[in-house]
Amino acid sequence: ECTSCAAGTFFHKQAEADSNGSCSGNSCNVNEYQIDSTEVCVAACDSSCTEGCSGRATTDCTSCAAGTFFHKQAEADSNGSCSGSSCNENEYQVGSAEVCVVCDSSCTEGCSGSTNADCTSCAAGTFFHKQAEANSNGSCSGTSCSATTEYQVGSTEVCVVCDSSCTEGCS
């Protein structure tokens, strides 16, 4: 067991608090994470992080094994968790990749993208506001439609934006 390594060689240890480890290579191994920008690697990835991590939490995975979905808080995030073979109810799949991203917080019942206008349905009691009746996406807010800019579809909790030529509301 080594207590330090030559410059350019990475120090691999089992836990961050360990003072002993081994010296090899010029990068961390797959199931290790690098401490900040040092040449120190820790072999403490969560067991769900089968393809690498940036820390020891379940949400610190950097990629997942084929067939396992990568769940992230935002598309730009490089870390997430690995589980399952599909996205969860309040996530959307990024293209055809096995990557899922959490919906906007206003989309309580699912979405198709990252914005509040990408909701696919809303929680009971919250109105679904769409640009056109045929659209499958919209936003979730409030307990009624805007009387001057939207009309309510029957007795549903769905509102559709009035045609731009309507100046005092529509039906």
Side-chain angles (χ1 to χ4, degrees), residues 53-69:
C53 67
S54 63
R56 62 177 182 233
T58 59
T59 56
D60 288 333
C61 300
T62 54
S63 64
C64 305
T68 304
F69 275 64

Side-chain angles (χ1 to χ4, degrees), residues 20-108:
N20 294 333
S22 62
C23 301
S24 68
N26 58 2
S27 66
C28 294
N29 297 321
V30 171
N31 280 322
E32 295 178 323
Y33 64 92
Q34 186 172 356
I35 298 177
D36 301 321
S37 58
T38 66
E39 293 175 336
V40 178
C41 304
V42 178
C45 289
D46 184 80
S47 61
S48 68
C49 303
T50 56
E51 298 295 314
C53 67
S54 63
R56 62 177 182 233
T58 59
T59 56
D60 288 333
C61 300
T62 54
S63 64
C64 305
T68 304
F69 275 64
F70 190 36
H71 304 269
K72 306 190 306 180
Q73 292 297 309
E75 280 192 48
D77 289 351
S78 56
N79 294 343
S81 61
C82 298
S83 68
S85 57
S86 65
C87 293
N88 297 322
E89 181 178 302
N90 207 34
E91 296 176 323
Y92 65 94
Q93 187 170 348
V94 179
S96 60
E98 294 175 332
V99 175
C100 305
V101 178
V102 174
C103 298
D104 181 83
S105 61
S106 67
C107 303
T108 55

Side-chain angles (χ1 to χ4, degrees), residues 89-165:
E89 181 178 302
N90 207 34
E91 296 176 323
Y92 65 94
Q93 187 170 348
V94 179
S96 60
E98 294 175 332
V99 175
C100 305
V101 178
V102 174
C103 298
D104 181 83
S105 61
S106 67
C107 303
T108 55
E109 300 291 317
C111 67
S112 62
S114 63
T115 73
N116 66 350
D118 292 324
C119 302
T120 54
S121 63
C122 305
T126 304
F127 275 64
F128 189 37
H129 304 269
K130 304 190 315 179
Q131 292 297 311
E133 215 168 313
N135 288 7
S136 57
N137 293 347
S139 60
C140 299
S141 67
T143 56
S144 65
C145 298
S146 168
T148 58
T149 61
E150 297 175 315
Y151 66 90
Q152 188 170 350
V153 178
S155 59
T156 67
E157 294 176 335
V158 176
C159 306
V160 177
V161 173
C162 297
D163 184 272
S164 61
S165 63

